[in-house]
């Protein structure tokens, strides 16, 4: 009711002196203004809305089909009033529809009755469920169960809100207090966990690789412990949560930075090992005596290089192994031929030694022996045990030759000295004969 639209002016009202007269006067004025307001709104309503029974029935049917929405009783009462107005103003027009209207009224009353029963049952059921939620939350708090309590608070609140109950404000208030208590316990538990984290990471400073390696699992465990409590309600412990996350993030940022540095080092190791592998491949068909030393040196160097990227290590290692295996397989094949060559050299030296005599031209033979020694050096490797046997034999014959040569040279040197003495004696005799005038 819009009281400001009333034709009411305080200055024109005569105010009685007694309190009872004032009250009566005011009540009369209010009733008069209500009547005028009702008449004005009745005149403003379209005629067909007030006097069309079919439209009223159609509207009533909709309300009967859906009697549970809010404000339905008020709408039905409005329809009844309009129906009564129609009966008074045009009974003949309304009479054919009276039975249908009364039937709809009975149906509506029946539906409303059923609806109220259902609401009463729902109210009773919701009240029990709320009590169960309250008891469950209280039990969790009393037992000191913190795990997932933050998530449970949210679930309990959502479930509680969905259970509409009339009255019982005491349980509502107790539940809100219990929720506050649960929030406090969650907050205290998270504060305690954060303090534990700060003992490990007291300051946001650069961390060593050893420290990160030692503390990673412990930090992860604290993270899980913090997270398992569940999220805190909005507006509670936000600064604490942010500080905890920042501290953890600093730790894992440092770990990631070290990991990136390792990745760079692995790439560098891969480059070096790739070069070693290529050098090994280049030696596969080499028949130089130094090749074995080179391949062994490459193998030793390989062991000193650190790890390479995981996705490349197997292929690189396989390539290097294959190159080494192929080199030594070729070497084994070559050793068979090398052994034959060294055995032939041993036989030649043995022949030279067996043919030594007084007429041997040691200078020429010495050149042949030196040549055989050079050939021996040029021959590739053979199995170590066999090589030692053949070398001993070859070297022994060489020693025999050079010892024989030395003895020959020493003997010849003595002979040269004796010959020199003899020749000098002859020269002296010749000088004497030359100086003697008696001949």
């Amino acid at each position: 009711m819009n009281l400001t639209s009333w034709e009411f002016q305080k200055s024109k009202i005569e105010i009685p002196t007694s309190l009872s007269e004032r009250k009566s006067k005011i009540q009369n004025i209010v009733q008069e203004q209500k009547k005028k307001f009702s008449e004005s709104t009745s005149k403003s309503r379209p005629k067909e809305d007030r006097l069309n029974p079919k439209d009223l029935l159609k509207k009533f049917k909709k309300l009967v089909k859906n009697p549970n929405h809010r404000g339905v009783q008020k709408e039905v009462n409005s329809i009844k009033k309009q129906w009564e107005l129609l009966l008074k103003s045009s009974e003949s027009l309304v009479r054919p529809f009276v039975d249908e209207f009364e039937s709809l009224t009975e149906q509506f009353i029946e539906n409303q009755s059923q609806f109220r029963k259902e609401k009463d049952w729902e109210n009773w059921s919701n009240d029990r469920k709320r009590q169960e939620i309250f008891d469950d939350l209280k039990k969790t708090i009393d037992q000191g169960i913190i795990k997932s309590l933050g998530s449970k608070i949210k679930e309990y609140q959502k479930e509680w809100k969905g259970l509409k109950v009339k009255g019982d404000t005491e349980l509502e208030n107790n539940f809100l207090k219990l929720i506050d208590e649960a929030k406090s316990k969650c907050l205290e538990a998270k504060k305690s966990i954060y303090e534990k984290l700060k003992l490990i990471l007291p300051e946001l400073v650069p961390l060593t690789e050893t420290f990160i390696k030692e503390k990673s699992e412990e930090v992860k465990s604290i993270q899980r412990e913090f997270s398992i409590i569940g999220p805190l309600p909005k507006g509670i412990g936000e600064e604490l949560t942010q500080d905890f996350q920042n501290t953890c993030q600093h730790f894992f940022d440092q770990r990631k930075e070290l990991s990136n540095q390792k990745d760079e080092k692995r790439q560098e190791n891969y480059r070096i090992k790739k070069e070693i592998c290529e050098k090994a491949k280049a030696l596969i068909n080499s028949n130089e005596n130094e090749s074995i030393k080179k391949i062994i040196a490459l193998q030793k160097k390989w062991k000193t290089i650190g790890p390479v990227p995981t996705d490349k290590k197997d292929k690189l290692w396989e390539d290097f192994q294959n190159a080494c295996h192929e080199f030594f397989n070729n070497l084994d094949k070559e050793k068979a031929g090398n052994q034959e060559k060294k055995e032939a050299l041993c036989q030649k030296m043995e022949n030279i030694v067996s043919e030594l005599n007084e007429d041997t031209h040691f200078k020429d033979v010495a050149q042949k022996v030196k040549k055989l020694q050079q050939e021996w050096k040029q021959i590739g490797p053979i199995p170590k045990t066999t090589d030692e046997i053949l070398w001993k034999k070859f070297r022994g014959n060489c020693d025999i030759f050079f010892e024989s040569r030395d003895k020959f040279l020493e003997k010849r040197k003595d002979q040269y000295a004796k010959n020199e003495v003899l020749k000098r004696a002859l020269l002296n005799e010749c000088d004497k004969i030359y100086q003697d005038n008696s001949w």
Side-chain angles (χ1 to χ4, degrees):
M1 184 182 296
N2 187 3
L3 296 178
T4 59
S5 66
W6 290 1
E7 299 173 2
F8 178 86
Q9 296 182 15
K10 183 178 178 182
S11 59
K12 295 181 180 180
I13 298 175
E14 295 181 3
I15 301 175
T17 55
S18 68
L19 185 61
S20 59
E21 287 178 351
R22 287 182 184 179
K23 184 177 180 181
S24 177
K25 182 72 173 177
I26 291 172
Q27 286 176 343
N28 290 335
I29 292 172
V30 170
Q31 290 297 326
E32 183 179 351
Q33 294 304 320
K34 282 184 176 180
K35 184 177 180 182
K36 288 182 180 181
F37 179 78
S38 177
E39 289 175 354
S40 65
T41 55
S42 177
K43 290 177 183 179
S44 64
R45 186 184 295 116
K47 185 176 180 180
E48 57 272 20
D49 283 354
R50 292 184 287 110
L51 301 178
N52 191 332
K54 290 183 178 181
D55 289 343
L56 283 176
L57 286 171
K58 185 177 179 181
K59 187 175 181 181
F60 200 4
K61 285 179 182 178
K62 287 182 178 180
L63 294 176
V64 170
K65 289 180 180 179
N66 186 22
N68 301 337
H69 73 271
R70 199 171 183 180
V72 65
Q73 188 65 54
K74 187 176 180 181
E75 293 184 47
V76 170
N77 290 340
S78 175
I79 289 173
K80 284 183 177 180
K81 287 180 181 179
Q82 292 183 57
W83 188 264
E84 289 172 1
L85 288 173
L86 283 173
L87 282 174
K88 290 178 182 179
S89 63
S90 181
E91 185 177 352
S92 60
L93 180 64
V94 178
R95 182 56 57 188
F97 304 102
V98 169
D99 293 340
E100 185 177 1
F101 186 84
E102 290 178 353
S103 175
L104 288 172
T105 302
E106 292 176 0
Q107 189 176 348
F108 176 76
I109 292 171
E110 183 179 348
N111 290 347
Q112 280 288 290
S113 177
Q114 181 63 29
F115 174 68
R116 288 192 184 95
K117 289 179 182 178
E118 291 174 356
K119 290 297 290 182
D120 289 342
W121 167 258
E122 182 183 0
N123 191 65
W124 178 82
S125 176
N126 288 350
D127 188 57
R128 286 191 61 187
K129 290 178 181 178
R130 279 192 166 194
Q131 187 65 51
E132 289 174 0
I133 292 172
F134 179 86
D135 293 341
D136 189 30
L137 178 56
K138 190 173 187 308
K139 181 180 178 182
T140 300
I141 293 173
D142 290 345
Q143 291 179 348
I145 301 174
I146 299 299
K147 182 180 178 181
S148 302
L149 185 57
S151 300
K152 285 182 179 179
I153 291 173
K154 190 174 181 180
E155 292 171 6
Y156 285 143
Q157 286 179 310
K158 184 178 180 181
E159 191 174 354
W160 185 277
K161 189 176 180 181
L163 298 171
K164 303 296 182 182
V165 177
K166 291 183 179 179
D168 203 358
T169 54
E170 183 180 357
L171 182 61
E172 178 81 24
N173 292 335
N174 289 337
F175 177 74
L176 294 176
K177 290 178 182 178
L178 203 59
I179 287 291
D180 289 339
E181 184 180 350
K183 291 177 182 178
S184 297
K185 287 188 176 295
C186 287
L187 184 60
E188 289 304 315
K190 290 208 169 192
K191 283 181 179 178
S192 175
I193 295 169
Y194 182 40
E195 291 302 318
K196 192 192 299 185
L197 180 66
K198 287 197 291 185
L199 290 175
I200 301 173
L201 306 171
E203 295 180 1
L204 300 180
V205 295
L207 307 175
T208 65
E209 182 178 356
T210 303
F211 179 86
I212 290 174
K213 189 175 181 180
E214 289 177 352
K215 300 298 182 181
S216 283
E217 290 305 317
E218 193 172 353
V219 172
K220 287 180 184 178
S221 176
I222 291 174
Q223 266 191 319
R224 287 192 295 270
E225 194 177 345
F226 191 90
S227 177
I228 207 170
I229 295 174
L232 293 173
K234 189 175 182 181
I236 296 178
E238 291 179 350
E239 184 177 353
L240 168 69
T241 301
Q242 189 62 50
D243 289 344
F244 180 84
Q245 290 175 345
N246 289 341
T247 304
C248 290
Q249 191 62 45
H250 170 71
F251 178 84
F252 288 108
D253 284 346
Q254 292 275 300
R255 189 179 73 164
K256 185 177 180 181
E257 184 178 347
L258 287 172
S259 177
N260 290 338
Q261 293 175 3
K262 283 186 176 181
D263 288 341
E264 293 176 1
K265 181 61 178 175
R266 286 190 180 96
Q267 290 295 340
E268 177 63 15
N269 292 342
Y270 174 76
R271 184 189 65 76
I272 296 172
K273 284 192 171 182
K274 186 72 174 174
E275 291 180 357
I276 293 174
C277 187
E278 294 303 320
K279 289 179 179 179
K281 288 180 180 180
L283 292 172
I284 288 174
N285 297 316
S286 174
N287 56 5
E288 297 179 3
N289 289 337
E290 295 297 317
S291 296
I292 296 179
K293 293 181 181 179
K294 289 179 181 178
I295 203 78
I296 292 174
L298 290 175
Q299 289 176 325
K300 288 181 179 179
K301 185 177 180 181
W302 180 281
K303 292 178 181 179
T304 64
I305 310 302
V308 300
T310 305
D311 60 332
K312 298 176 180 178
K313 69 175 184 179
D314 291 339
K315 179 65 169 59
L316 185 61
W317 172 240
E318 183 180 354
D319 288 347
F320 182 66
Q321 272 193 319
N322 289 339
C324 292
H325 289 164
E326 191 172 351
F327 171 82
F328 286 108
N329 286 337
N330 291 341
L331 185 62
D332 289 339
K333 293 176 184 178
E334 184 182 349
K335 282 180 180 180
N338 292 340
Q339 183 174 337
E340 292 178 2
K341 292 177 182 178
K342 288 192 173 184
E343 287 174 348
L345 291 179
C346 285
Q347 187 61 49
K348 288 182 179 180
M349 275 306 303
E350 191 174 342
N351 293 337
I352 290 174
V353 170
S354 65
E355 293 175 358
L356 291 176
N357 54 50
E358 294 292 332
D359 297 326
T360 299
H361 198 292
F362 280 96
K363 185 176 181 180
D364 293 339
V365 177
Q367 293 298 321
K368 290 180 181 180
V369 171
K370 289 179 180 180
K371 186 177 180 183
L372 292 177
Q373 288 177 326
Q374 289 297 324
E375 288 181 20
W376 184 280
K377 292 179 181 180
Q378 296 299 320
I379 297 172
I382 61 174
K384 186 175 181 180
T385 304
T386 305
D387 193 33
E388 289 177 353
I389 294 172
L390 292 177
W391 171 245
K392 188 175 180 180
K393 185 177 181 181
F394 180 77
R395 177 65 182 268
N397 286 322
C398 289
D399 290 344
I400 291 172
F401 168 78
F402 286 111
E403 285 174 4
S404 297
R405 186 196 65 172
D406 292 343
K407 287 179 180 179
F408 169 79
L409 292 176
E410 188 66 28
K411 185 177 179 181
R412 191 174 64 174
K413 184 178 180 182
D414 291 342
Q415 186 63 46
Y416 283 165
K418 290 178 180 180
N419 292 341
E420 183 180 358
V421 171
L422 292 173
K423 286 184 177 182
R424 287 187 181 280
L426 288 173
L427 285 173
N428 289 331
E429 286 295 328
C430 289
D431 285 340
K432 287 179 181 181
I433 293 170
Y434 179 75
Q435 292 175 6
D436 187 3
N437 294 323
S438 62
W439 61 280

